[in-house]
Amino acid sequence: MRLRALLETEALGLRLLGGEDELDRTVRGVMTTDLRDPSRYLSGGELVLTGLAWRRNSADSEPFVRILASAGVAGLAAGEAELGDIPDDLVSACRRNRLPLFAVNEDVAFATITEYVVRQVSGERAGDLAAVVDRHRRLMTSGPAGGGPDVVLDLLTTDLDLRAWVLSPTGRQIAGAGEPLAPGVCATLASEHLAAVRTGRRGPHRMSIQGITYSLFPIRGHGRGPGPAARDVRESVLSDWLLAVEADAGDWPAERLDLLQGVTQLIAVERDRRDAARTVRRRLAQEVLELVQTGAAPAEIAARLRVAAPVLLPGLGGAPHWQVVVARVDWDGGDIPGGPVAQSLLEEILVDPSIAGPEPSDRIAVAHAGDEAIALVPLPSLPGEPGEEKGGPDSALHADVLLASVREPLAAGLADDGRLTLGVSAAVHSAEGLRGALEEARHARRVAAARPGRVCAAGHHELASHVLLLPFVPDDVRRAFTARLLDPLRDYDRRHRAELIPTLEAFLDCDGSWTRCATRLHLHVNTLRYRVGRIEQLTARDLSRLEDKLDFFLALRMS
């Protein structure tokens, strides 16, 4: 917008006092000030509104005007409400510094001028950005990607002063303009978005975190949107990205909302391209999986692994170790295929959540068979001592760590009718070990499935432990076993505040050592002996016998 346009708008009540030759200057914003030195708040291109409270005498005008001119403001508008006519010294100072000067009629509020300028400038910026987005969309849909989501987000920042981030459904940052969001904020935003989608609320969804309002827009690729191609929201809710904008979209005009929808469509094109690029890795995983499941010769599997290694770990010197991760998504009713959902979700879960950007997923190959998704994860071998290798098992995935940072968003997306279970194998170095790793991961997933909760995982280390057996004990047997051993102690603790249960846990954890247990509980050994004697009396068990110790241990684990 030009200064000339402001002068020609009668409702603004502006009268030109000087600077006729400068009326084609561009106005990029508006600022009201009565500070003697407002330079710290100026960035250039503003129309400055002032009530002249900064002026004590004629000598103040020149320094004030020089500060504005040095900051590159578009013009100065002085109100007549305080002093009546604008002082001649201010008119002269503006003329010397080639700064356009307007008088504002006393009947016109500065707020009226501010609202008009902001509306006009925002509208023009939105129009410019819409044109850029449209050009960018045509480029990306007809040829190679034009820079990815970061380019579009930079446009939002520079043209509309909007900070925005693209997040995965697990809350990992894919792209962003400016400083990255804290991981906890990302997880909370993703959780809110998934919960809103599952409850059918119309977007954009809004929420506040630490006093900052964010508006959340879904990014849906072809076939994942609300149109006829998507049969059920559960088929896409755990794979769609989202756009988080640091602004309250509740009071946005329809034009700006349409613009942001265009931005999400543009990012969706890039998302579809990245999905297509995964086809090679998925095919590699599928081929290896078929060879393993059909009992192919180890030499044939090894040959296929040698093909996969350079694709997943470019530049790798030695052969990697491999790990297998099996995931399954189950929906109540069983009418939604879980395999594709689990495949897309596992590709995201296996990316380190601390790494921003989409590229780390290029090292993950995930196939799906039926309702299962199966990931083939390479672990690079690092050189160690002569004749040794190290790095693979040491850098292996751990089931309890994989879901730690994504549990909250996933639970929101699964809501009350979905469930994710995941199993992780040990690392293996040869083709011979891959079939065993697959069975190990599947068995670990079944252990996870036997546990309560919407999001559960189990690792290979649990398969060589009593933990493997506990989930498969029927609920009524578990309740009867724990009640018979522990209910007498709980009742006694409630009546006497004796802390027999904590004492029992500590005694078993210290392997029955009186001294170590007494030290841990800050008790005299005689007091500890009294408590253990009371436990034995109430349960008719002997804690010096291995069988009774084991029964108590299992009861505590199952309770």
Side-chain angles (χ1 to χ4, degrees):
M1 183 180 63
R2 310 290 182 180
L3 282 174
R4 191 181 306 280
L6 293 176
L7 188 61
E8 293 170 352
T9 305
E10 295 184 3
L12 299 183
L14 296 178
R15 189 173 75 259
L16 184 64
L17 299 181
E20 296 85 350
D21 298 336
E22 305 291 336
L23 291 179
D24 286 329
R25 291 187 180 187
T26 300
V27 179
R28 297 187 177 88
V30 62
M31 174 189 168
T32 300
T33 184
D34 276 312
L35 295 173
R36 302 184 72 181
D37 181 3
S39 57
R40 73 184 70 177
Y41 305 110
L42 298 171
S43 58
E46 297 92 348
L47 173 68
V48 176
L49 306 176
T50 180
L52 300 177
W54 50 267
R55 182 184 178 278
R56 299 190 184 97
N57 55 58
S58 59
D60 292 334
S61 293
E62 180 67 27
F64 181 79
V65 172
R66 191 178 297 120
I67 288 171
L68 300 187
S70 298
V73 304
L76 174 65
E80 295 180 323
E82 186 71 23
L83 301 179
D85 292 339
I86 305 302
D88 291 339
D89 50 87
L90 180 58
V91 176
S92 299
C94 288
R95 186 177 297 115
R96 285 191 297 272
N97 289 277
R98 299 179 63 82
L99 182 66
L101 175 64
F102 302 90
V104 182
N105 188 288
E106 61 182 3
D107 295 329
V108 178
F110 282 177
T112 301
I113 300 174
T114 299
E115 181 181 357
Y116 180 84
V117 172
V118 169
R119 187 167 59 249
Q120 294 298 315
V121 170
S122 296
E124 291 178 2
R125 285 181 177 174
D128 292 343
L129 180 59
V132 173
V133 167
D134 186 59
R135 289 197 303 273
H136 203 69
R137 181 189 294 115
R138 290 198 299 270
L139 285 172
M140 291 184 69
T141 54
S142 62
D150 292 288
V151 173
V152 185
L153 300 186
D154 287 340
L155 290 176
L156 287 177
T157 301
T158 57
D159 284 45
L160 289 184
D161 297 326
L162 292 175
R163 295 207 308 157
W165 301 264
V166 177
L167 305 180
S168 77
T170 63
R172 188 174 63 88
Q173 182 170 313
I174 304 295
E179 290 293 321
L181 291 173
V185 172
C186 290
T188 302
L189 292 175
S191 299
E192 170 64 19
H193 171 73
L194 292 174
V197 171
R198 288 305 315 274
T199 55
R201 302 206 310 264
R202 290 178 60 86
H205 314 117
R206 291 170 290 155
M207 73 174 305
S208 294
I209 302 177
Q210 299 174 352
I212 300 175
T213 300
Y214 298 90
S215 297
L216 310 177
F217 297 80
I219 298 172
R220 298 188 176 100
H222 299 146
R224 293 197 296 266
R231 296 180 295 276
D232 192 301
V233 69
R234 292 174 294 178
E235 294 183 59
S236 62
V237 67
L238 293 175
S239 59
D240 285 337
W241 290 352
L242 67 129
L243 177 67
V245 181
E246 190 181 295
D248 188 345
D251 54 0
W252 280 4
E255 293 81 3
R256 179 168 285 202
L257 287 173
D258 289 343
L259 173 62
L260 265 292
Q261 293 298 338
V263 169
T264 63
Q265 293 170 13
L266 186 57
I267 296 173
V269 173
E270 180 65 14
R271 170 65 194 270
D272 289 340
R273 289 184 184 280
R274 297 186 188 279
D275 280 350
R278 290 179 173 178
T279 303
V280 173
R281 299 190 301 277
R282 287 176 171 178
R283 187 181 301 121
L284 282 172
Q286 195 72 43
E287 291 174 355
V288 173
L289 175 63
E290 290 174 359
L291 291 174
V292 170
Q293 294 191 126
T294 56
E300 188 177 358
I301 299 174
R304 183 55 55 185
L305 289 177
R306 284 195 295 271
V307 173
V311 175
L312 301 178
L313 289 173
L316 184 67
H321 291 79
W322 299 91
Q323 239 177 322
V324 176
V325 182
V326 174
R328 180 173 174 133
V329 173
D330 294 290
W331 301 104
D332 290 354
D335 55 339
I336 305 297
V341 178
Q343 181 182 44
S344 178
L345 193 55
L346 192 52
E347 286 172 335
E348 175 60 35
I349 290 174
L350 292 174
V351 178
D352 186 342
S354 65
I355 300 176
E359 299 309 324
S361 62
D362 290 348
R363 295 187 173 186
I364 297 163
V366 183
H368 78 81
D371 288 332
E372 274 186 341
I374 302 168
L376 189 64
V377 183
L379 304 172
S381 299
L382 304 178
E385 295 297 325
E388 292 184 1
E389 277 184 345
K390 54 186 285 188
D394 293 338
S395 56
L397 302 171
H398 295 276
D400 53 347
V401 176
L402 270 181
L403 297 180
S405 62
V406 300
R407 192 178 299 275
E408 178 187 354
L410 292 183
L414 293 164
D416 57 358
D417 60 349
R419 192 152 191 260
L420 168 69
T421 53
L422 185 146
V424 182
S425 79
V428 297
H429 181 58
S430 64
E432 289 87 345
L434 206 54
R435 185 170 187 176
L438 174 60
E439 291 306 316
E440 193 173 55
R442 281 176 166 163
H443 203 135
R445 192 207 62 79
R446 288 193 288 270
V447 170
R451 295 171 175 168
R454 290 288 169 189
V455 182
C456 297
H460 61 91
H461 61 282
E462 299 181 57
L463 304 184
S465 165
H466 64 279
V467 177
L468 172 64
L469 303 175
L470 297 185
F472 301 100
V473 177
D475 289 343
D476 54 345
V477 175
R478 291 160 66 102
R479 285 192 294 269
F481 182 74
T482 57
R484 185 165 56 253
L485 280 175
L486 301 183
D487 279 1
L489 307 183
R490 293 187 180 117
D491 291 341
Y492 192 87
D493 281 347
R494 276 195 297 270
R495 293 195 308 269
H496 303 284
R497 298 181 181 180
E499 297 188 354
L500 295 184
I501 293 288
T503 301
L504 175 62
E505 291 175 332
F507 186 72
L508 295 176
D509 194 42
C510 292
D511 298 324
S513 168
W514 297 99
T515 303
R516 282 196 288 126
C517 184
T519 301
R520 174 180 294 189
L521 296 175
H522 305 289
L523 297 174
H524 193 278
V525 172
N526 289 340
T527 304
L528 175 61
R529 291 185 182 278
Y530 172 80
R531 289 187 183 180
V532 170
R534 179 63 66 183
I535 291 171
E536 293 174 334
Q537 179 185 10
L538 291 170
T539 60
R541 296 296 185 110
D542 183 355
L543 278 170
S544 65
R545 297 178 65 247
L546 176 61
E547 294 86 345
D548 288 340
K549 286 180 182 178
L550 181 59
D551 283 348
F552 277 123
F553 177 79
L554 293 174
L556 289 169
R557 282 299 181 95
M558 288 191 292
S559 64

